[in-house]
Amino acid sequence: MHDYPPPGALPVATVSDAMERFGVADGIRPLWPGATFSGPAFTVWTRPGDNKGLHAAFETIRRGEILVVNGGGDTTRALIGELVVQKAKALEIGGIVLDGAARDLAELPDLGIPVFARAVTPAGPWKTGPYRNGVTVAVGGVPVSPGDWVLGDHDGVAVVPRADIGEVIDTAHRLIAGEAERRAANQRLVPRD
């Protein structure tokens, strides 16, 4: 088991840079300012607009895991809302990533579980399936396998394959040190007359 850095410890943009700009989920955004998460992925692949697989996930997901859902990019039905996020909070999961939509945006920030999604819609989900849990999924065009490191901040979501976590963390720390040197050099610049 890897030690996943805590939420906000490494910026998503820097982690993406450490992976040669790969691994960023396209179009998946935080639903409110300040939402951050970091942890191992628990994956769900569901029929667009259907959240039966999410409810099944709550039977086996572990504390701190990130619920990562391939909902086919559908924005016409919300896969989660206030009641689902209340379950997530009770189970102390680390966050929710939806390649799909959410609802109840007014209530979600107060529940304390970061939610990142493609869209918001008031229309609720179906609950009939089918679904697959614990398989490799695609979210925002990026493959995500169970146990991959998933992190999110104001810039979006990045996914680091489990086998690359240590190397990516080391590279990200080196990039941060290099950026600090460049910032210092920028502050020493003098305007020309």
Side-chain angles (χ1 to χ4, degrees), residues 64-144:
E65 288 185 314
I66 311 300
L67 184 64
V68 180
V69 182
N70 177 348
D74 179 70
T75 60
T76 64
R77 297 278 170 183
L79 295 175
I80 65 147
E82 178 186 11
L83 296 177
V84 171
V85 177
Q86 282 178 337
K87 278 186 177 181
K89 181 176 182 169
L91 295 171
E92 298 180 14
I93 74 165
I96 299 172
V97 178
L98 303 171
D99 199 338
R103 71 177 183 178
D104 300 332
L105 188 54
E107 293 81 13
L108 296 186
D110 293 336
L111 293 172
I113 299 294
V115 178
F116 287 58
R118 184 168 295 282
V120 175
T121 182
W126 291 288
K127 300 177 185 299
T128 56
Y131 65 87
R132 302 286 183 271
N133 290 355
V135 298
T136 298
V137 298
V139 173
V142 177
V144 187

Side-chain angles (χ1 to χ4, degrees), residues 2 9 36-37 63 101 123 142-143 157:
H2 292 281
T36 62
F37 66 84
R63 176 186 289 125
V142 177
V157 174

